[in-house]
């Protein structure tokens, strides 16, 4: 149990890859499998035995505190520290240093969905007497991440953030254990990137930086595709969480939702409060935020439908993000990464890929 370890969760980024969804909510508060995304991460931190968590925020900071309060409902003691202007990942960590007391501190990127055994990461840190230990995973395309080669002893050899020519498919999973004394060396009061400045600097001066590699479930929720697939994995129980509001299965349907008897809602779809799904509609592997309406006969696949948005009869939406309150008119067809900004209204037949109907 990690009851002698404190945690820091970084939730400061604007999440620009998820606009238009993040215009009104910070990315970690987007409803994911029925609860704000951050609840899943916090529940896993708590399940590992950690009690004290400091949230380092900068963007729409008050929304976190309004929802999670002092953390008691999660069994946590939550402290909020707000950056006046975003200080970057390293600056965000340094900015909360004065609130930490434990000898070792876990730090989490707040947008990662992960099934790793956190106790095992801390064990690696202790056994190797590391200054910092990084959780590492292997991915198909490492270019969007921090590439982290290690030697046979698990010692980190380099940290290459978002490089076009990564030497290995092993990447930084966004979960670290810091000796607090090392964390306290990060400069305060200015922008610091832990990936581009702190880790390369530690390696240069010969600090012991360990890698803990495993093949647990892992996904960065930064892109709409990852958000929607990660949410479906949570709903279906593929990604572990102690914060689901219902049993795992083909869908999670929150109270007040009205799903027609002959509608098909499956593939890990999360149906928010007061959503309406009409007759014969088909919704697969999607996120329907509170108050969204999927009219009769509409098809929604692997898409995020914002709060109060309407997908009118016979429309077909695939791999798209529909902003809050937007309207996709009857028989429109949207696909392949399209994003509709909040409040935009597409008229019936307004946009199609196939012949007229
Ligand atoms: N407090 C604070 N202040 N947090 C921040 C700031 C800031 O200025 N900037 C970013 N963050 C938080 C984000 O909210 C997110 O939770 C985390 O730091 C990482 O930022 P992202 O913007 O999501 O980075 P990324 O996904 O491109 O890359 C990072 O994560 C990858 C794994 O998911 C890097 O750490 C990569 O090395 C890593 O592979
Ligand atoms: Mg990220």
């Amino acid at each position: 149990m990690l009851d002698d370890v404190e945690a820091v969760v970084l939730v400061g980024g604007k999440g620009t890859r998820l606009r238009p969804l993040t215009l009104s909510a910070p990315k970690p508060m987007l409803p994911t499998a029925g609860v704000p995304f951050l609840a899943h991460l916090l529940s896993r931190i708590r399940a590992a035995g950690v009690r004290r968590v400091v949230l380092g925020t900068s963007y729409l900071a008050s929304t976190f505190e309004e929802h999670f309060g002092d953390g008691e409902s999660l069994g946590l003691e939550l402290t909020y520290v707000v950056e006046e202007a975003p200080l970057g990942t390293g600056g965000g960590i340094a900015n909360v240093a004065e609130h930490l007391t434990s000898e070792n501190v876990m730090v989490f990127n707040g947008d990662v969905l992960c099934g790793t055994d956190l106790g095992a990461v801390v064990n690696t840190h202790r056994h190797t007497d590391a200054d910092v230990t990084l959780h590492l995973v292997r991915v198909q395309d490492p270019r969007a991440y921090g590439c982290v080669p290690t030697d046979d002893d698990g010692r980190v050899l380099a940290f290459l953030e978002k490089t076009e020519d990564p030497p290995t498919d092993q990447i930084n999973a966004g979960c670290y254990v810091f000796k607090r004394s090392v964390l306290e060396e990060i400069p305060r009061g200015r922008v610091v990137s832990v990936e581009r400045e702190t880790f390369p600097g530690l390696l240069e001066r010969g600090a012991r930086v360990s890698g803990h590699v495993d093949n647990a479930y892992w996904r960065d929720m930064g892109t709409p595709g990852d958000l929607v697939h990660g949410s479906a994995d949570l709903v279906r129980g593929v990604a572990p969480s102690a914060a689901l509001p219902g049993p795992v299965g083909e869908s999670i349907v929150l109270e007040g939702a009205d799903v027609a008897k002959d509608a098909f809602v499956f593939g890990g779809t999360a149906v928010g409060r007061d959503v309406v799904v009409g007759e014969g509609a088909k919704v697969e592997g999607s996120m329907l935020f509170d108050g969204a309406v999927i009219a009769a006969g509409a098809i929604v696949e692997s898409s995020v439908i914002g709060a109060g948005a309407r997908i009118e009869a016979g429309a077909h939406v695939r791999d798209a993000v529909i902003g809050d309150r937007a309207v996709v008119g009857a028989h429109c067809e949207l696909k392949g990464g399209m994003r509709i900004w909040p409040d935009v209204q597409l008229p019936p037949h307004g946009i199609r890929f196939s012949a007229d109907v």
Side-chain angles (χ1 to χ4, degrees), residues 10-13 17 27 56-57 83 86-89 92 109-112 145-146 159 161-162 172 176 195 218 220:
L10 296 172
V11 285
R17 283 180 289 193
K27 179 168 73 168
T57 75
E83 295 149 42
L87 291 169
T89 46
N109 283 353
D111 62 344
V112 169
Y145 305 103
F159 196 109
E161 181 67 11
K162 300 191 176 58
N172 168 28
Y176 323 120
E195 298 88 350
W218 186 88
D220 177 303

Side-chain angles (χ1 to χ4, degrees), residues 69-328:
D70 61 6
E72 205 190 334
S73 60
L74 292 161
L76 292 169
E77 287 166 34
L78 281 182
T79 305
Y80 303 84
V81 180
V82 183
E83 295 149 42
E84 269 172 37
L87 291 169
T89 46
I93 298 169
N95 196 48
V96 307
E98 65 191 89
H99 296 273
L100 301 167
T101 55
S102 61
E103 187 189 337
N104 292 305
V105 177
M106 297 199 84
V107 176
F108 295 87
N109 283 353
D111 62 344
V112 169
L113 187 57
C114 177
T116 203
D117 177 349
L118 301 180
V121 183
V122 174
N123 279 343
T124 298
H125 180 72
R126 289 190 168 128
H127 289 152
T128 55
D129 192 24
D131 293 304
V132 180
T133 299
L134 314 183
H135 176 218
L136 307 176
V137 291
R138 298 179 65 187
V139 294
Q140 250 176 10
D141 182 0
R143 288 174 301 177
Y145 305 103
C147 175
V148 187
T150 46
D151 69 11
D152 291 344
D153 291 332
R155 188 183 267 267
V156 170
L157 298 172
F159 196 109
L160 308 156
E161 181 67 11
K162 300 191 176 58
T163 173
E164 264 311 300
D165 198 12
T168 160
D169 59 2
Q170 189 171 278
I171 60 125
N172 168 28
C175 161
Y176 323 120
V177 190
F178 271 84
K179 270 189 183 149
R180 185 162 52 88
S181 55
V182 175
L183 184 152
E184 280 174 347
E185 289 167 20
I186 304 172
R188 300 187 195 190
R190 70 165 170 89
V191 175
V192 180
S193 161
V194 80
E195 298 88 350
R196 295 181 195 276
E197 185 176 336
T198 309
F199 294 144
L202 284 168
L203 292 169
E204 206 169 301
R205 71 157 212 236
R208 169 78 206 204
V209 182
S210 295
H212 176 91
V213 190
D214 66 16
N215 53 8
Y217 181 94
W218 186 88
R219 193 188 282 278
D220 177 303
M221 303 286 264
T223 65
D226 278 314
L227 180 72
V228 86
H229 290 118
S231 173
D233 288 343
L234 281 162
V235 171
R236 291 184 303 144
V238 177
S241 168
L244 286 182
V248 300
E250 287 297 312
S251 64
I252 280 185
V253 181
L254 296 190
E255 72 230 19
D258 179 8
V259 178
K261 274 214 172 63
D262 66 349
F264 302 95
V265 179
F266 63 111
T269 293
V271 180
R273 281 177 198 82
D274 303 323
V275 162
V276 176
V277 181
E279 280 171 30
K282 184 182 140 199
V283 186
E284 178 174 4
S286 294
M287 306 167 80
L288 311 182
F289 290 178
D290 292 353
V293 176
I294 314 298
I299 300 176
V300 176
E301 299 167 286
S302 302
S303 295
V304 190
I305 311 300
R310 296 181 60 91
I311 311 300
E312 299 289 10
H316 189 161
V317 177
R318 180 169 19 129
D319 297 326
V321 175
I322 311 301
D324 294 348
R325 301 169 304 275
V327 177
V328 175

